[in-house]
Amino acid sequence: MFGSTDLSFPASKLSSIPAFCFYPQQTQQTNPIVQQLIFFIKFFAWFSLRNMRKHPVRALTVLLGIALGAAVFTSVRLSIHASLDSFSRSMDLIAGKSDRVLSRPGGRVPEQLLPGLLRHRSVRHASAVLSTYIRPARNDSEPFLMIGFDPILDRHLRSWQIDDRTGGPTEDWLDLLKDPYTMIVGQPLADRYDWRQDDHVQLENAHQTAALRIVAVLEPQGLGLVDGGRIALTDIATFQEFTGTHGTVDRIDLLLRPDTSERQLAELSSMLPEGVVIGSPSASKDSGRGMIRAYQLNLSILSFASLFVGMFLVYSLVALNAASRRHELAVLRSTGASAELLFVVFLAEGAVFGLAGWLMAIPISSVLIKYLLHGVSQTISTLFVRVQVDTLSLSIWEIAVSFAATICISLLAALQPAREAMLVPPKEALEISQHGIQQKKSPRKLAVGGLICIVLVLPLSSLPGDLGIPLPGYIAILLLFVGFALLAPWFLNWLGTTLSPYLRRTVGMSAYLAGRYIRDSGTRTAVSVGALITAVALFASLVIMIFSFRQTVEAWTYQTVSGDLFLTTKLNEVNEFRHPLPREVAAWFEDLDEPLDIVPNRRYFLKYSGFPYEFEILDLDVFMRHADFFWMIGAPEDVGPRLRRGEGVGISEVFSNMTGLTIGDTFRARVEESFVELPVIAVVRDYRTQGGVVFYSLKHFEQRFHEPQWSGLRFFYRDRNQDLDRAVSNLRKKIIERWGGALEMISGRDLRSGILRVFDETFAITTVLLLIALVIAALGITTTLTVMVLERSRQLNTLFAVGASFGQIRKMIFWEATFLVAAGEIAGIVCGFILSYLLVYVVNRQSFGWTFLYGVDWGALALSLPLIVITALAAAIPAIRLVFLEPPATLLRER
């Protein structure tokens, strides 16, 4: 028999190989290319697929790893695509066919502009639009979007259709014009609350609670698809009456004539009042899509890590097939097979694993995406822009990306083993005995390459990202993983050499032999260690990053988001604080006789060169008496008094990183009817999610610009030694007695705990992806140990034949697993600390604009890392059970 493993085939059977396998005959009837393809398929089935059928457990283990990685990658991308598609579709439907939009940053547009715009020679159609989120007046209700417009003027810009199956004529929409307090609702909204035509429903907003009659239900097309159909349409007069926005609109959409020139647009702009600007209808969509895409890229990279770990499994098995069948390859070469043919065959093995794994990922994805779709859309709504995703939209592009990534990863993993297979010389067919294992390469050369990759990480990560995409940071992370994977063979060699003598004296011969084998195992054993290094590094770095982020956010909440009670109008936060407190409410609080200090504020949501941010003006004198900013750049003892004197603005780190403004630069913005131009004198940490923040003194804003209405109030009790919970409860009762349910209030304690709860929920998806990567790494350990047992079955049974016990041999394999896990864990921790630095100071800064104070949760690492060790060692159990699956005599005899 040629070779020493059951993967070889007897020389006598060479005659059974079809002649066309090596000498395909050209015929006039068959195209040469087709004939070569048929030949390759038959040869691949005979040589590779037959071998996979002989060892189904190995193949299925690798396929499961690839399937898990591909399923995670596909599910994440499809979930984010569905959220992005839902947001884009809603924004496009709301914008309609408009060419330009008139708006006032931070304020509203006078309604009386509409007649003049309709008469302008460049304007074909114009429509005034208002929108706000409202909700049913019940405890379990969720906000939904209400749009106010003129159904007649707006028909040229937006489409919508009454559902005539609801029982009424399609002309029911005219009731919007004839009857006040009427509306048309989307079908999903009606289904959600069991609403029917002619029902009167109690709705509440920041201004009042009132009953509106449903005159019709929308078909699921046009505006009926906005926000997943959770939408209501009403006449502009009803909207203004209901929300208290008389005489003003949110914006005026314009449909221009085809021959409109830039000169006519300039003329149109000149007739607008102070503060009203002409902009693009896609500005809000573009900024929202940009933030979602940044999140998509980060989550895609994290999910790709699972696929990357799966690559090690493909490499391990294809390398085993190439090494253990080395003698067969030599025989094939000596009988006429070309080196290129063998290279393509082993490359095709990788492709088959990738294809089969991707197909297996489809049912796994269908289960996984149910969780991810909800989690991803909820995170996007919390952090960036509001999205409502009810159905999954299958994107051919996303599926193609997933398929291409899986196949490319598998081909890349099979590339080196395929190259080794093609270099087998034909002369090895003449050797009497072959162990089927190629001599290992010097680990020092690989270690040098790994060190070069690791050294390049720091300078590469220092390069700036482009358009919010931290591409240099991602390349640095990839180099980091590659570098540590290349270091794994040298580290295993050093570990086995150093520990083997000590283990022989203290533990016994089993541990000594395990260490010696690990020392001499070569590159292939180190592959599974590379997979474990990647998974452990991801785990450690994310534990560090999440802990650092959380403790920084927690410090920020207790330092800046401080206060005993916060108050604003209903639904003001979801409506970006566009509904200020009524002046009579503000006057009542100014006269309130309580032993507390009040900090009024006004918040405007604006854009700076397309980047969304929040401009907040507040009473800094009172605020800084009880709280403080989380200072980042600028000495607090110097900058604090200057901010209180109104000498300039303070900006958040996010705003600074995303716009390029820093101390000494000038901040410029249009806020309602005022043009604000102030120097930047401080940079602070702030972790509000929807863009950056700019702070300024309320008192000095009123003096320099105009007097704004307050968005909300926060209260500080002067006596900090009293029972604050009881004092806050008494204050809430007094406010409710005077204003009923017209205002929303939350205690400072509840607000801060809510912020931290949102933070924890945001990283729930990250935890799931991380656990899957660890499972794939455990599969890698299982595969490697199984391979080690199968290829050494003759050696292990020889040891048994000369006196070794079953227990000693099993103990030796267990120690081999211990060496692999220890190497992966130690190197993974070191890699994880470097990776955490990249995540904290490079990737997050370039993606979202924020960094945080670096901190390590030693307790969590100390508790969780042993669990990883136990899980990885448990992966050795299947290999240990295979040691004596067949009788020793069967394996030792010559066949």
Side-chain angles (χ1 to χ4, degrees):
M1 173 179 177
F2 291 95
S4 60
T5 71
D6 62 340
L7 298 179
S8 303
F9 55 88
S12 60
K13 293 189 177 181
L14 283 175
S15 59
S16 66
I17 303 175
F20 63 77
C21 284
F22 304 118
Y23 307 106
Q25 309 221 339
Q26 302 285 343
T27 64
Q28 295 182 349
Q29 289 79 12
T30 307
N31 186 292
I33 298 178
V34 175
Q35 187 177 20
Q36 291 177 7
L37 180 61
I38 294 174
F39 151 70
F40 177 78
I41 293 174
K42 290 183 177 180
F43 179 75
F44 181 78
W46 169 80
F47 184 76
S48 295
L49 296 184
R50 184 190 64 168
N51 184 60
M52 294 181 192
R53 289 197 300 269
K54 285 184 178 179
H55 308 285
V57 176
R58 304 184 202 171
L60 288 176
T61 302
V62 174
L63 288 177
L64 180 58
I66 287 290
L68 281 173
V72 170
F73 185 72
T74 305
S75 301
V76 165
R77 291 195 60 89
L78 285 176
S79 299
I80 300 181
H81 175 80
S83 300
L84 186 62
D85 182 63
S86 174
F87 170 75
S88 300
R89 182 173 63 248
S90 294
M91 297 302 291
D92 287 337
L93 292 172
I94 291 175
K97 301 176 182 178
S98 57
D99 298 313
R100 295 290 188 276
V101 174
L102 269 63
S103 62
R104 171 173 278 168
R108 289 189 168 86
V109 178
E111 188 179 12
Q112 59 266 27
L113 289 177
L114 188 59
L117 292 170
L118 289 170
R119 291 192 297 268
H120 195 275
R121 57 179 178 171
S122 65
V123 177
R124 189 176 181 184
H125 299 288
S127 176
V129 180
L130 297 102
S131 62
T132 189
Y133 281 93
I134 62 174
R135 67 186 174 203
R138 46 192 281 190
N139 294 331
D140 60 344
S141 60
E142 297 178 355
F144 64 89
L145 183 66
M146 171 176 275
I147 295 179
F149 64 117
D150 186 319
I152 296 177
L153 289 179
D154 196 76
R155 69 186 186 278
H156 300 287
L157 287 97
R158 275 162 283 268
S159 64
W160 48 277
Q161 182 65 43
I162 296 296
D163 188 353
D164 55 7
R165 293 171 298 177
T166 57
T170 56
E171 293 78 13
D172 281 343
W173 67 270
L174 292 174
D175 289 349
L176 295 180
L177 301 175
K178 295 186 297 183
D179 301 332
Y181 283 83
T182 54
M183 65 178 180
I184 303 172
V185 299
Q187 185 66 59
L189 181 63
D191 294 341
R192 170 70 175 82
Y193 295 108
D194 196 25
W195 290 343
R196 298 290 182 267
Q197 188 175 10
D198 290 327
D199 283 353
H200 287 77
V201 295
Q202 290 286 329
L203 303 176
E204 63 179 10
N205 63 13
H207 181 65
Q208 64 170 319
T209 299
L212 276 76
R213 180 171 67 90
I214 299 174
V215 298
V217 176
L218 289 169
E219 283 191 355
Q221 60 173 307
L223 289 179
L225 297 174
V226 171
D227 264 14
R230 291 173 173 84
I231 187 174
L233 307 180
T234 188
D235 179 62
I236 195 169
T238 294
F239 189 102
Q240 291 172 329
E241 178 68 25
F242 181 43
T243 60
T245 53
H246 301 283
T248 61
V249 295
D250 290 341
R251 68 180 194 272
I252 298 177
D253 293 347
L254 304 179
L255 182 61
L256 303 177
R257 298 187 182 279
D259 57 349
T260 300
S261 64
E262 292 297 326
R263 176 182 167 186
Q264 290 174 329
L265 284 177
E267 176 188 320
L268 180 64
S269 181
S270 64
M271 63 176 283
L272 301 178
E274 189 74 18
V276 178
V277 298
I278 298 180
S280 168
S282 64
S284 297
K285 183 185 78 171
D286 293 342
S287 62
R289 285 175 62 88
M291 290 187 289
I292 296 175
R293 286 197 181 280
Y295 177 68
Q296 178 186 37
L297 185 59
N298 279 273
L299 208 57
S300 295
I301 293 295
L302 180 60
S303 63
F304 182 77
S306 297
L307 198 55
F308 182 76
V309 173
M311 179 181 71
F312 291 97
L313 303 182
V314 176
Y315 177 94
S316 180
L317 187 54
V318 177
L320 166 68
N321 292 340
S324 61
R325 308 186 74 185
R326 187 176 179 86
H327 189 63
E328 294 183 20
L329 297 176
V331 172
L332 291 174
R333 289 296 315 281
S334 66
T335 54
S338 67
E340 291 75 13
L341 173 64
L342 300 184
F343 175 81
V344 175
V345 164
F346 280 92
L347 206 61
E349 281 193 14
V352 167
F353 279 121
L355 176 61
W358 187 81
L359 293 175
M360 285 178 61
I362 294 176
I364 300 175
S365 299
S366 64
V367 176
L368 189 60
I369 201 170
K370 294 178 181 178
Y371 167 79
L372 288 177
L373 184 62
H374 172 73
V376 166
S377 61
Q378 186 177 43
T379 299
I380 291 175
S381 296
T382 301
L383 295 182
F384 309 115
V385 291
R386 187 177 178 86
V387 295
Q388 192 70 252
V389 184
D390 291 323
T391 58
L392 177 66
S393 56
L394 290 179
S395 168
I396 299 300
W397 166 251
E398 295 298 343
I399 294 175
V401 167
S402 167
F403 177 79
T406 306
I407 297 298
C408 288
I409 279 290
S410 302
L411 287 174
L412 184 63
L415 188 61
Q416 179 60 26
R419 183 176 177 275
E420 297 292 341
M422 71 179 293
L423 296 179
V424 174
K427 67 179 183 179
E428 288 191 16
L430 301 177
E431 296 183 17
I432 297 176
S433 177
Q434 284 290 331
H435 292 290
I437 305 298
Q438 187 182 5
Q439 294 298 317
K440 66 183 182 70
K441 295 182 179 179
S442 171
R444 292 185 179 180
K445 294 182 180 179
L446 296 177
V448 171
L451 286 175
I452 292 174
C453 290
I454 295 173
V455 169
L456 290 175
V457 166
L458 185 59
L460 185 61
S461 64
S462 302
L463 297 177
D466 184 30
L467 300 177
I469 300 176
L471 185 59
Y474 290 136
I475 297 177
I477 291 173
L478 179 61
L479 281 179
L480 184 66
F481 286 150
V482 172
F484 272 87
L486 292 177
L487 279 174
W490 174 87
F491 186 55
L492 283 173
N493 183 280
W494 176 85
L495 202 63
T497 303
T498 304
L499 295 183
S500 293
Y502 174 76
L503 292 176
R504 181 178 186 178
R505 294 192 302 267
T506 58
V507 181
M509 184 59 68
S510 297
Y512 171 75
L513 292 176
R516 299 283 292 190
Y517 180 77
I518 289 296
R519 184 195 67 181
D520 301 329
S521 60
T523 306
R524 187 159 36 82
T525 304
V527 168
S528 64
V529 176
L532 188 59
I533 288 173
T534 302
V536 172
L538 280 171
F539 175 82
S541 62
L542 288 174
V543 166
I544 293 171
M545 187 196 74
I546 294 173
F547 176 76
S548 301
F549 203 171
R550 197 183 196 283
Q551 72 169 3
T552 307
V553 170
E554 188 171 0
W556 167 69
T557 58
Y558 283 94
Q559 187 166 326
T560 303
V561 191
S562 55
D564 299 316
L565 183 67
F566 290 78
L567 178 146
T568 186
T569 54
K570 282 187 177 180
L571 297 168
N572 216 10
E573 184 173 4
V574 72
N575 285 305
E576 298 182 338
F577 295 92
R578 295 167 57 204
H579 302 290
L581 292 170
R583 295 194 181 276
E584 60 272 19
V585 174
W588 185 83
F589 280 105
E590 285 183 311
D591 297 334
L592 187 63
D593 185 17
E594 287 285 336
L596 48 77
D597 291 328
I598 301 176
V599 180
N601 71 78
R602 179 61 192 267
R603 300 165 71 172
Y604 298 95
F605 281 76
L606 308 172
K607 287 185 174 63
Y608 190 97
S609 299
F611 175 70
Y613 72 99
E614 186 178 333
F615 182 61
E616 181 175 7
I617 49 179
L618 69 162
D619 190 333
L620 290 177
D621 288 328
V622 179
F623 171 78
M624 299 185 73
R625 192 184 308 156
H626 295 276
D628 202 356
F629 291 108
F630 202 156
W631 304 99
M632 186 172 181
I633 303 178
E637 63 275 7
D638 173 57
V639 177
R642 293 182 62 195
L643 278 175
R644 290 196 296 270
R645 292 194 299 267
E647 296 180 13
V649 298
I651 63 176
S652 68
E653 176 196 18
V654 174
F655 185 83
S656 177
N657 289 335
M658 303 306 284
T659 63
L661 291 183
T662 187
I663 291 179
D665 294 332
T666 301
F667 165 76
R668 297 179 179 88
R670 172 69 64 179
V671 182
E672 293 185 316
E673 64 269 19
S674 301
F675 182 74
V676 177
E677 187 172 3
L678 294 164
V680 178
I681 61 176
V683 178
V684 302
R685 295 185 186 273
D686 193 279
Y687 295 99
R688 300 180 212 188
T689 54
Q690 296 178 341
V693 187
V694 177
F695 302 95
Y696 189 57
S697 166
L698 175 61
K699 177 174 64 177
H700 295 91
F701 186 90
E702 293 172 344
Q703 294 172 357
R704 292 188 178 188
F705 304 107
H706 66 270
E707 183 177 351
Q709 287 184 259
W710 299 346
S711 294
L713 307 170
R714 76 171 80 182
F715 303 88
F716 293 92
Y717 275 94
R718 297 169 191 149
D719 182 8
R720 309 307 298 172
N721 296 319
Q722 63 177 312
D723 186 346
L724 293 176
D725 290 339
R726 183 173 183 179
V728 168
S729 178
N730 292 334
L731 178 60
R732 291 172 67 116
K733 290 178 181 178
K734 182 177 291 189
I735 295 172
I736 292 173
E737 288 174 1
R738 174 61 184 84
W739 299 105
L743 302 173
E744 284 189 350
M745 293 172 283
I746 184 171
S747 69
R749 176 180 297 179
D750 291 341
L751 177 60
R752 289 184 286 273
S753 63
I755 292 173
L756 296 177
R757 184 175 61 254
V758 168
F759 174 88
D760 294 335
E761 292 173 353
T762 299
F763 283 97
I765 295 175
T766 303
T767 304
V768 172
L769 300 183
L770 178 61
L771 291 175
I772 292 176
L774 289 173
V775 168
I776 297 174
L779 289 175
I781 297 294
T782 301
T783 302
T784 299
L785 291 172
T786 302
V787 165
M788 290 163 59
V789 167
L790 290 173
E791 71 183 22
R792 290 188 300 145
S793 57
R794 188 180 297 268
Q795 300 173 16
L796 297 175
N797 282 276
T798 299
L799 289 175
F800 175 73
V802 298
S805 67
F806 287 163
Q808 288 175 318
I809 294 176
R810 290 192 178 99
K811 188 183 296 184
M812 181 181 70
I813 296 173
F814 186 80
W815 272 105
E816 289 173 1
T818 303
F819 273 106
L820 295 180
V821 173
E825 183 120 357
I826 293 171
I829 288 293
V830 176
C831 181
F833 273 90
I834 302 174
L835 179 58
S836 67
Y837 175 87
L838 295 177
L839 292 176
V840 170
Y841 294 108
V842 178
V843 173
N844 273 286
R845 183 179 182 275
Q846 294 181 1
S847 296
F848 305 111
W850 54 42
T851 60
F852 19 90
L853 302 178
Y854 193 88
V856 181
D857 188 356
W858 296 107
L861 286 177
L863 179 65
S864 54
L865 291 179
L867 295 179
I868 298 176
V869 173
I870 294 172
T871 302
L873 291 179
I877 295 176
I880 294 174
R881 296 179 64 183
L882 285 174
V883 176
F884 301 109
L885 197 59
E886 296 185 50
T890 303
L891 293 168
L892 290 174
R893 75 172 183 226
E894 289 291 331
R895 288 179 292 179

